[in-house]
């Protein structure tokens, strides 16, 4: 993490040179360029400045489980050994973090687990004071806070599964003082908000796409910012000034590089400030993106986003413009589908290498994500987790049936919890794919969730279930990739892991690969790449990341070439 002091004269930054999420916090004088002697080891990288520009709150973690649980106060120029413990989160299912409101008036300590949260606040000009609880934690209640004027604004799922927006006076923050600003809606998920003097801006999901809506304070003339493409990714950008009339947002699509726009909240004029450059003669007109809907086996409609190079598309005869009766391109289908994380259709310059060689790239927005609101997430977790896997299978079959994909050259990819998706799908339908890539895959679900000394375990019982309860044990066992390996012909498989991975320990993919090699039938490849200097995010550095991508693409392109009709 990086944070400038309120006077913008000191920079606090944290570095991790191993990839285990154990950072060292350092400070740089931005006036002189000199490094300050203060150095704090084994921290999380999460920190926030008080308004005096000399006091910093930071978070330390348990060095075994890596749970973020202790907030300390450091004053520049003092010995870190004397730093004051401000807050200790003692519930092992919760973790905590610190931040400052956009108004810069309050410091916040936010405690959270999958289904519950709690916020404490303190005047940022008085960092030695005592934090007050805004609203005590409760079961199945998640909320997050920002501040403007004399009010806190609260995004909450209290009686609102898709969340709603409330406000409450700073002096009286209990629920009895909450006033509704934006009501709950069945078909719209309130994802984010930003408050300005005179305007409220919200990011909302509707029909599996993020929308940005602007609500003037003293006018009913609310409006939505329009985006032309059928699938895209957009988010509220850095907007540090609450008294600004300009909103900054970041837009991309599968054909449009990340683009920073300034949007005048009064005139509605958009100004492109920066667009990522793409080398190599990139022309977006050569590519096209589409949004499809697959029907899952239980009737749910699952969105699919895809991108392709127009002159490489085999489902259309280039001479007549008509759809071919059979055939299709090699297609790589990506999926994640956990934690309510939505896999939006953003840009990846590396992906062009595949598209230029005839691949179609698709994202299956399966249940377990939050593309279609909170219910989409709830329907893909705990005792309904198998929906994530069957949705992915149904999307793949839809792509073959509609001629987007060559049935003999269909490939799957996912990482982390998306690697769990890949492992489960390969056990359920090993015949469907020619090859698959599983990056840092969470594949030994039952064993990991039984061991609460492993990082992430205690905080994720509400995501996967607690296998110490028989119902969850049996259900998790029914899909756990490692536990369901059987003597069958599996697709070609490339698996990656990192020795220092703190989220999925390296031994999970290692033992999965060993069991596959010992059990499977047929001669298809099962390759394991262990990065000896990497964590969960894979190799760092400009070139090593490219080498990793090149290895994956070489694996896929070689398979596609061997299967070319």
């Amino acid at each position: 993490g990086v944070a400038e002091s309120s006077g913008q004269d000191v920079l606090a930054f944290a570095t991790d040179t191993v990839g285990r999420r154990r950072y060292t916090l350092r400070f740089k004088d931005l006036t002189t360029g000199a490094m300050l002697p203060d150095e704090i080891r084994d921290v999380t990288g999460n920190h926030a400045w008080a308004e005096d520009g000399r006091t910093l709150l930071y978070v330390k973690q348990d060095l075994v489980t890596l749970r973020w649980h202790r907030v300390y106060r450091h004053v520049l120029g003092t010995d870190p050994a004397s730093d004051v413990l401000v807050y200790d989160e003692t519930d092992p299912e919760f973790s905590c973090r610190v931040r400052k409101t956009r108004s810069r008036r309050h410091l916040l300590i936010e405690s959270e687990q999958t289904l519950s949260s709690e916020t404490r606040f303190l005047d940022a000009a008085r960092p030695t004071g005592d934090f007050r609880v805004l609203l005590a934690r409760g079961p199945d209640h998640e909320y997050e806070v920002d501040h403007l004027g004399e009010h806190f604004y609260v995004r909450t799922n209290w009686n609102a599964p898709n969340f709603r927006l409330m406000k409450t006076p700073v002096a009286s923050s209990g629920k009895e003082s909450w006033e509704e600003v934006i009501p709950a809606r069945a078909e719209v998920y309130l994802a984010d908000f930003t408050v300005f003097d005179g305007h409220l801006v919200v990011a909302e999901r509707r029909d599996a796409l993020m929308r940005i809506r602007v609500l003037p304070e003293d006018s009913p003339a609310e409006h939505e910012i329009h985006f032309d493409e059928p699938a895209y990714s957009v988010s509220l950008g850095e907007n540090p000034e609450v008294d600004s009339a300009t909103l900054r947002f970041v837009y991309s699509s599968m054909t449009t590089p990340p683009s920073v726009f300034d949007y005048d909240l009064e005139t509605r004029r958009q100004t492109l400030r920066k667009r990522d450059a793409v080398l190599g003669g990139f022309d977006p007109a050569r590519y096209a993106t589409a949004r499809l809907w697959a029907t899952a086996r239980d009737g749910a409609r699952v969105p699919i986003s895809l991108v392709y190079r127009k002159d490489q598309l085999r489902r259309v005869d280039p001479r007549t413009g008509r759809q071919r009766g059979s055939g299709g391109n090699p297609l790589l289908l990506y999926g994640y589908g956990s934690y309510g994380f939505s896999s939006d259709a953003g840009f990846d310059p590396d992906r062009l290498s595949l598209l230029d060689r005839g691949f179609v790239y698709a994202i299956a927005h399966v249940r377990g994500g939050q593309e279609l609101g909170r219910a989409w997430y709830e329907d893909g977790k705990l005792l309904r987790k198998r929906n994530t896997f069957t949705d992915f299978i149904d999307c793949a079959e839809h792509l073959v049936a509609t001629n987007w994909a060559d049935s003999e050259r269909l490939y799957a990819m996912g990482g982390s919890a998306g690697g769990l998706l890949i492992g489960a799908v390969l056990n359920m339908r090993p015949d469907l794919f020619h090859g698959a890539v599983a990056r840092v895959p969470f594949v030994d679900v039952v064993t990991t969730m039984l061991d609460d000394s492993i990082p992430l375990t205690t905080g994720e019982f509400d995501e996967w279930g607690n296998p110490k309860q028989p119902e969850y044990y049996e259900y998790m066992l029914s899909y756990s990739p490692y536990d369901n390996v059987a003597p069958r012909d599996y697709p070609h498989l490339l698996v990656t892991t990192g020795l220092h991975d703190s989220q999925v320990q390296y031994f999970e993919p290692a033992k999965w690969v060993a069991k596959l090699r010992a059990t499977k039938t047929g001669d298809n490849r099962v390759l394991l790449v262990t990065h000896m200097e990497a964590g969960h995010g894979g190799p760092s550095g400009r070139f090593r990341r490219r080498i990793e991508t090149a290895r994956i693409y070489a694996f896929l392109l070689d398979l596609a070439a061997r299967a070319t009709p």
Side-chain angles (χ1 to χ4, degrees), residues 33-202:
M35 295 295 298
L36 301 181
D38 309 58
E39 186 173 293
I40 310 173
R41 297 182 179 275
D42 291 328
V43 299
T44 63
N46 171 231
H47 45 263
W49 287 98
E51 281 299 280
D52 62 4
R54 305 291 298 172
T55 305
L56 185 88
L57 297 185
Y58 64 91
V59 180
K60 279 194 169 185
Q61 69 278 65
D62 183 296
L63 295 182
V64 176
T65 65
L66 302 181
R67 182 175 70 91
W68 297 17
H69 70 114
R70 287 182 174 171
V71 178
Y72 285 86
R73 184 175 66 238
H74 177 72
V75 177
L76 286 179
T78 65
D79 183 355
S82 64
D83 288 353
V84 175
L85 176 64
V86 174
Y87 176 70
D88 187 3
E89 177 52 70
T90 57
D91 189 325
E93 292 192 17
F94 279 74
S95 60
C96 67
R97 65 189 304 274
V98 296
R99 67 177 177 92
K100 189 186 290 186
T101 59
R102 285 180 58 251
S103 66
R104 299 194 290 271
R105 288 267 304 275
H106 297 280
L107 291 163
L108 305 179
I109 298 176
E110 298 171 317
S111 295
E112 62 181 5
Q113 53 104 258
T114 307
L115 299 177
S116 180
S117 59
E118 180 179 70
T119 296
R120 289 168 167 77
F121 65 96
L122 174 68
D123 187 333
R126 298 176 175 83
T128 60
D130 295 326
F131 278 83
R132 293 168 50 195
V133 176
L134 189 143
L135 182 73
R137 68 190 66 179
D140 301 319
H141 185 209
E142 303 166 57
Y143 70 92
E144 61 181 324
V145 176
D146 207 348
H147 168 262
L148 181 67
E150 300 305 315
H151 290 87
F152 285 123
Y153 285 77
V154 185
R155 174 181 169 269
T156 172
N157 69 345
W158 173 43
N159 294 331
N162 272 339
F163 288 81
R164 57 178 168 162
L165 190 66
M166 315 288 278
K167 71 176 183 179
T168 185
V170 172
S172 176
S173 60
K175 278 185 181 177
E176 66 279 359
S177 301
W178 287 18
E179 176 186 346
E180 188 171 74
V181 179
I182 297 178
R185 290 150 295 168
E187 303 302 325
V188 180
Y189 174 78
L190 178 61
D192 197 6
F193 71 97
T194 298
V195 286
F196 294 91
D197 287 334
H199 291 86
L200 170 65
V201 180
V202 293

Side-chain angles (χ1 to χ4, degrees), residues 403-480:
N403 204 29
W404 282 101
D406 178 351
S407 61
E408 301 300 317
R409 295 185 297 166
L410 180 62
Y411 306 94
M413 184 167 72
S416 193
L420 162 63
L421 164 65
I422 297 302
V425 164
L426 295 189
N427 282 330
M428 296 168 73
R429 284 295 306 278
D431 59 304
L432 187 55
F433 297 93
H434 184 215
V437 179
R439 306 180 73 173
V440 292
F442 175 39
V443 285
D444 193 15
V445 182
V446 176
T447 305
T448 292
M449 294 306 297
L450 280 168
D451 188 348
D452 57 15
S453 71
I454 291 178
L456 303 187
T457 295
T458 59
E460 299 202 353
F461 289 142
D462 289 314
E463 180 72 26
W464 315 105
N466 186 341
K468 293 178 182 177
Q469 299 175 21
E471 183 181 25
Y472 287 108
Y473 177 89
E474 294 296 336
Y475 189 77
M476 294 163 71
L477 190 64
S478 75
Y479 67 74
S480 175

Side-chain angles (χ1 to χ4, degrees), residues 253-308:
S253 74
M254 299 175 92
T255 61
T256 304
S259 307
V260 178
F261 286 90
D262 280 348
Y263 182 82
D264 190 305
L265 295 168
E266 299 289 350
T267 67
R268 306 187 186 184
R269 180 183 176 185
Q270 292 185 30
T271 304
L272 176 63
R273 293 300 185 190
K274 181 180 184 295
R275 175 165 287 160
D276 285 2
V278 180
L279 303 180
F282 169 68
D283 180 0
R286 295 175 183 167
Y287 307 90
T289 186
R291 168 58 62 87
L292 312 177
W293 294 83
T295 301
R297 60 198 64 187
D298 63 356
R301 296 180 70 238
V302 184
I304 304 171
S305 300
L306 57 81
V307 62
Y308 56 92

